[in-house]
Amino acid sequence: MIARQCRHCGQEIPVGLDGDFCCRGCEGAFALLEDMGLGRYYQRRCVDPAVRPLRPEEGAGAHHDYAAHIIDEDDGLASLNLMVEGIHCAACIWLIEALLSRQPAVVWARVNMTTRRLVLRWKKDQADPAGILAPVLAVGYRLVPYDPTKLGRETERHEKQLLRAMAVAGFAAGNVMLLSVSVWAGHFSGMGFYTRELMHWISALIVLPAVLYCIRPFLYSALTALSNRRTNMDVPITLGVLLASGMSLAETIRGGEHAYFDSAITLLFFLLIGRYLDSRARGKARSAAEHLLTLDAVAVTVLEDDGTQRLIPPTQVKVGQTVLVAAGERIGIDGVIRSGVSDVDTSLITGETVPMAVNPGAQVFAGTINLSAPLRLTVSAVGERTLLAEIVRMMEVAEQGRARYVALADRVSRWYAPVVHVAALSTFLGWVLLGGIPWQVALLHAVAVLIITCPCALALAVPVVQVIASGRLLRQGILLKSATALERVADIDVVVFDKTGTLTVGKPELLEDGTWGEEDLLQAVRLAAASHHPLARALAAARPGIAADPQAIEEPGRGMVAGDWRLGSRTHVGVTREDGAEGPELWLAGPDRPPVRFAFADRPRSDAAEVVARLRRWGLAVELLSGDRVATVRRLAGDLDIAQWRAGCTPAQKVARLEELKAQGKRVMMVGDGLNDAPALSAAHVSMSPSTAVDVSQTAADVVFQGERLSPVMEVLEVARRSRTLVQQNFVLALGYNFFTVPLAVAGHVTPLIAAIAMSTSSLVVIGNALRLTRGRKA
């Protein structure tokens, strides 16, 4: 009986299995790759470890059971966070996301290039993770459960490898250059044949071992790509270095005079310098998400029921357990304070530098720091369900989203491989057939073209700006929830504000207007302390510490009653006269005394007037849409100098107004309560919302900001406009570099050494230009 081979991986199909595939993973991977038209480009590999033993080169960790790492979400969805090993460029990101997104069960698949984190969401009743991930494994990537500490170790190991290789290459280049100077000088002073040959062989003995050692960072990446029938940016680099070294060795063996060992090793030396500086520069522009991952506590002290204490990793803590947090310790879980009073540094969440006082019942979050005294917490969330993890996921979405410029850069980068190789081959053939120069010199011209056309700068043009912009905003308590938010903010020409909780702080405060005395206030506070009504709470806050009247009873919709005393609305206390007073109010009535009025106001945010004025100076129209009463809205609009305002608006009327502006060709940014104004926020071109930490993951807005000030609106607008300018400048720099240098390389005016310096410099210039966003002055 003739053994049947799997159509995908070529392995023998076990006896008893029908069909053309050895496992379900191979069948799914084959169908998907063929459907994408990629089948002929990729070396296939069996993705089901149950069918056959793992090959030695795959290692014990090549396949994982992901069931323990799956997070069940609402609406029948499941999610998985994995680290992808083998990512080298934007083309890798595109391929992985394309392989996953084309599967019907997948609703979300995004890879962050900085953290190498894959976030996958799918309909759990339609597919299992092994089948979904099979195509990614089949094309040579390795997927392991996400471990932020492993990411840091991998980056450190890579940079040490580059440093060692750079040191070896620099030592070899320095020595070979001394020999090359002798050869060059001997060319004009009659150096003998055997002396020159000796110099060439000594150069070969120094350079070739150094090249074999130092080229590894490029070679491994290139071989991985080529073994899977694809290419990346390291393929032409590796090809150029090996061609120069191989040609020099061949010339030395046959006794020729064209040996370029100095060019080969010096080229590699400068490529390594560029790669190392690029890695360090990326560190300065490192993902804000990656920085956040380092803020999680290393261990948590759990208090057992028998009173013993146990130190365990945060991921092993269970909801409902009690943990102890010492003064000065970073909190590793989300929880509610069970006992203890302290101050907590919440700058990670709110952007505020002033610590927040906390007491029993307050909620605290992972990543914040307990400053003053020990706390005992009841755990409410751990691991991927903490607010810190939620912020990290939102930051990764914002940094790695598919904005308009990102899509353009990806399309250009995907075309570079065939174009660069054709250009190098054409350069070589053109100089040999038409230029009449030795093939050795023509090969050096082709190597220069291979090196100089590497599109590293173009691939970095957009992502580095997105990462820096997201990090700058995060440090000020501003979160981007949409990948295209900044791009849309830069386009706006109208800003529409909600009133309560947006232009105002959303908390009524008692006005000291002279209509009541201290005795009146104390009696009112005794009644108000027994109520949960917002105005009653505001009244009680005016004199904290006053005990509630034990006889106080609340009549829903009317007010409080305690014996002969009443606190509440006009009708509740029997006031019938109209005195022209406006705004929210409470009335106090008692025996043998006239009713007393307590007026309240929802004060504007401290910088609201300044922000509105700045928006107008920047050429933006400002409107106010509120569901509040006409008198209240008119007063606030007058205080803030907003000419266009509407009161008594329902959510539907707010949406209708936004649609009117949209029909006029306006691009509107809606700033409103992220929980109550969801229809209007969704209808706007882009939206912002002031929100507490608890609401961050619930709001419908594209941008969420923390704190009591409105200045984040201006900060987001400024960053958005500067980001757009920097992205455009980066495109000009990257494309201009190629348009200027490639013709020079083809014409033979650029050596491989100069090409290496130019290629590395272009990437550093793009990163340096983007880093200007971290400074305060205008781009």
Side-chain angles (χ1 to χ4, degrees):
M1 181 177 178
I2 300 176
R4 294 177 299 130
Q5 291 184 329
C6 175
R7 293 185 63 189
H8 178 72
C9 68
Q11 297 291 322
E12 182 177 333
I13 299 177
V15 177
L17 286 182
D18 297 327
D20 298 326
F21 302 94
C22 66
C23 63
R24 183 173 59 179
C26 282
E27 183 177 3
F30 179 88
L32 187 61
L33 290 171
E34 291 294 329
D35 182 53
M36 295 179 66
L38 299 172
R40 64 184 183 277
Y41 294 112
Y42 295 96
Q43 175 185 3
R44 284 71 171 273
R45 185 176 72 189
C46 183
V47 295
D48 191 344
V51 174
R52 55 162 179 80
L54 296 178
R55 292 196 293 269
E57 66 268 24
E58 293 175 342
H63 300 283
H64 260 281
D65 179 9
Y66 303 109
H69 307 283
I70 295 174
I71 300 174
D72 291 327
E73 299 184 351
D74 298 331
D75 303 324
L77 298 180
S79 65
L80 194 58
N81 294 270
L82 300 172
M83 182 181 292
V84 187
E85 296 183 355
I87 289 178
H88 297 286
C89 60
C92 298
I93 303 295
W94 169 83
L95 174 63
I96 294 170
E97 292 180 353
L99 288 170
L100 295 173
S101 299
R102 290 177 66 93
Q103 302 184 60
V106 175
V107 297
W108 177 268
R110 282 289 181 265
V111 181
N112 185 285
M113 188 168 180
T114 306
T115 62
R116 297 192 283 280
R117 175 175 179 160
L118 165 63
V119 179
L120 177 67
R121 293 188 177 94
W122 73 96
K123 301 173 183 175
K124 58 185 176 184
D125 59 340
Q126 296 185 14
D128 62 271
I132 293 174
L133 297 171
V136 179
L137 295 169
V139 297
Y141 296 101
R142 188 168 180 266
L143 304 174
V144 296
Y146 191 68
D147 182 1
T149 60
K150 184 175 180 179
L151 172 64
R153 291 195 300 267
E154 176 67 19
T155 302
E156 183 179 355
R157 184 197 63 79
H158 176 66
E159 290 189 352
K160 286 183 177 178
Q161 181 188 37
L162 289 175
L163 269 177
R164 287 193 297 267
M166 189 167 60
V168 172
F171 175 80
N175 284 277
V176 169
M177 287 301 294
L178 294 176
L179 298 172
S180 298
V181 170
S182 301
V183 174
W184 297 337
H187 178 75
F188 299 100
S189 59
M191 175 182 286
F193 171 79
Y194 294 105
T195 304
R196 186 185 66 202
E197 284 299 290
L198 177 62
M199 296 291 186
H200 283 173
W201 278 111
I202 294 176
S203 299
L205 290 174
I206 295 174
V207 168
L208 295 180
V211 166
L212 292 176
Y213 177 80
C214 300
I215 202 173
R216 291 181 305 163
F218 307 101
L219 180 63
Y220 289 163
S221 171
L223 289 179
T224 301
L226 293 175
S227 66
N228 290 288
R229 305 292 178 86
R230 57 189 179 90
T231 187
N232 62 16
M233 297 178 185
D234 290 333
V235 172
I237 290 175
T238 304
L239 185 61
V241 173
L242 293 180
L243 282 175
S245 302
M247 179 201 69
S248 299
L249 178 60
E251 282 292 286
T252 300
I253 292 173
R254 75 178 190 87
E257 58 179 293
H258 297 287
Y260 298 98
F261 291 113
D262 54 336
S263 295
I265 192 62
T266 310
L267 166 63
L268 188 55
F269 177 53
F270 277 96
L271 286 171
L272 287 166
I273 291 176
R275 182 63 59 93
Y276 179 75
L277 291 177
D278 178 68
S279 177
R280 299 298 296 175
R282 286 178 190 239
K284 290 183 178 294
R286 190 57 45 108
S287 165
E290 184 176 343
H291 283 308
L292 283 175
L293 291 171
T294 65
L295 297 180
D296 207 355
V298 176
V300 172
T301 303
V302 175
L303 182 64
E304 302 290 1
D305 294 336
D306 60 2
T308 60
Q309 298 181 11
R310 200 158 50 98
L311 201 63
I312 61 176
T315 54
Q316 296 181 14
V317 181
K318 292 181 172 49
V319 174
Q321 286 187 307
T322 300
V323 303
L324 300 176
V325 183
E329 184 179 347
R330 190 177 293 277
I331 300 173
I333 49 86
D334 286 2
V336 177
I337 297 178
R338 186 171 175 178
S339 63
V341 177
S342 183
D343 296 295
V344 174
D345 179 359
T346 61
S347 57
L348 168 68
I349 305 298
T350 65
E352 298 288 340
T353 57
V354 178
M356 180 179 70
V358 294
N359 45 49
Q363 189 165 14
V364 293
F365 303 98
T368 57
I369 301 175
N370 179 28
L371 297 176
S372 306
L375 293 174
R376 185 171 295 189
L377 313 177
T378 300
V379 179
S380 60
V382 298
E384 289 296 318
R385 297 189 180 277
T386 63
L387 176 66
L388 179 64
E390 178 67 27
I391 292 174
V392 168
R393 285 192 288 270
M394 287 189 293
M395 292 301 300
E396 288 178 343
V397 169
E399 291 174 358
Q400 202 63 27
R402 290 296 175 259
R404 180 172 66 240
Y405 292 117
V406 176
L408 174 61
D410 283 352
R411 286 198 299 270
V412 174
S413 294
R414 282 200 297 272
W415 280 100
Y416 100 94
V419 170
V420 65
H421 291 111
V422 169
L425 179 60
S426 300
T427 300
F428 176 74
L429 295 176
W431 278 107
V432 171
L433 299 178
L434 303 177
I437 64 175
W439 69 269
Q440 297 91 339
V441 179
L443 185 61
L444 285 183
H445 294 339
V447 168
V449 173
L450 281 174
I451 301 300
I452 209 164
T453 50
C454 184
C456 297
L458 184 61
L460 288 170
V462 184
V464 71
V465 175
Q466 286 183 312
V467 167
I468 293 173
S470 299
R472 169 174 168 171
L473 293 175
L474 179 66
R475 287 190 292 273
Q476 301 184 50
I478 304 169
L479 289 174
L480 300 178
K481 294 194 66 179
S482 168
T484 61
L486 284 181
E487 189 175 288
R488 285 179 283 140
V489 168
D491 294 333
I492 65 167
D493 44 26
V494 178
V495 180
V496 175
F497 287 101
D498 178 41
K499 183 186 81 71
T500 305
T502 303
L503 287 175
T504 66
V505 295
K507 298 177 182 178
E509 295 181 353
L510 178 64
L511 295 178
E512 298 186 10
D513 54 3
T515 60
W516 47 266
E518 183 65 21
E519 185 178 345
D520 298 324
L521 177 59
L522 293 177
Q523 179 59 45
V525 168
R526 293 188 188 98
L527 295 175
S531 173
H532 293 287
H533 189 279
L535 293 183
R537 294 172 69 89
L539 186 60
R543 293 295 184 271
I546 302 298
D549 190 327
Q551 298 181 356
I553 300 174
E554 186 166 8
E555 296 182 1
R558 295 175 58 83
M560 304 298 297
V561 177
D564 294 331
W565 290 95
R566 289 176 176 268
L567 176 72
S569 64
R570 286 172 178 258
T571 56
H572 183 57
V573 300
V575 174
T576 57
R577 69 179 186 273
E578 293 293 337
D579 53 11
E582 299 177 341
E585 61 183 11
L586 287 177
W587 288 79
L588 175 69
D592 302 325
R593 62 192 303 166
V596 176
R597 178 177 183 266
F598 296 94
F600 299 85
D602 184 7
R603 63 177 176 84
R605 291 178 183 258
S606 59
D607 59 344
E610 177 187 352
V611 168
V612 170
R614 288 185 63 190
L615 288 171
R616 284 202 303 271
R617 287 198 299 271
W618 283 24
L620 300 174
V622 180
E623 294 191 15
L624 169 60
L625 300 180
S626 175
D628 211 337
R629 290 172 295 182
V630 172
T632 304
V633 178
R634 181 192 297 117
R635 185 187 311 112
L636 179 65
D639 292 341
L640 302 182
D641 196 19
I642 300 177
Q644 185 70 32
W645 58 270
R646 296 186 184 186
C649 295
T650 64
Q653 290 172 329
K654 291 182 180 181
V655 171
R657 175 55 181 164
L658 296 182
E659 293 296 335
E660 288 178 19
L661 293 171
K662 185 177 180 180
Q664 298 171 13
K666 305 294 185 181
R667 293 179 176 175
V668 181
M669 179 168 73
M670 177 72 191
V671 186
D673 189 309
L675 301 177
N676 302 326
D677 284 335
L681 293 171
S682 300
H685 183 66
V686 66
S687 54
M688 288 186 67
S689 171
S691 182
T692 64
V694 179
D695 303 328
V696 160
S697 63
Q698 303 171 17
T699 177
D702 298 306
V703 183
V704 177
F705 63 91
Q706 313 285 329
E708 296 293 328
R709 296 173 61 82
L710 202 60
S711 56
V713 174
M714 297 305 305
E715 177 68 13
V716 170
L717 184 58
E718 179 184 2
V719 170
R721 290 184 172 183
R722 292 184 61 187
S723 296
R724 180 175 61 183
T725 300
L726 291 172
V727 166
Q728 293 169 347
Q729 290 173 353
N730 279 352
F731 269 113
V732 171
L733 290 170
L735 294 175
Y737 154 78
N738 281 286
F739 284 134
F740 177 73
T741 57
V742 171
L744 292 177
V746 172
H749 297 305
V750 177
T751 66
L753 173 59
I754 296 175
I757 297 173
M759 185 268 289
S760 300
T761 302
S762 67
S763 298
L764 295 175
V765 167
V766 165
I767 294 174
N769 186 53
L771 285 171
R772 295 166 58 208
L773 190 59
T774 62
R775 300 200 296 268
R777 64 176 180 267
K778 192 173 179 178

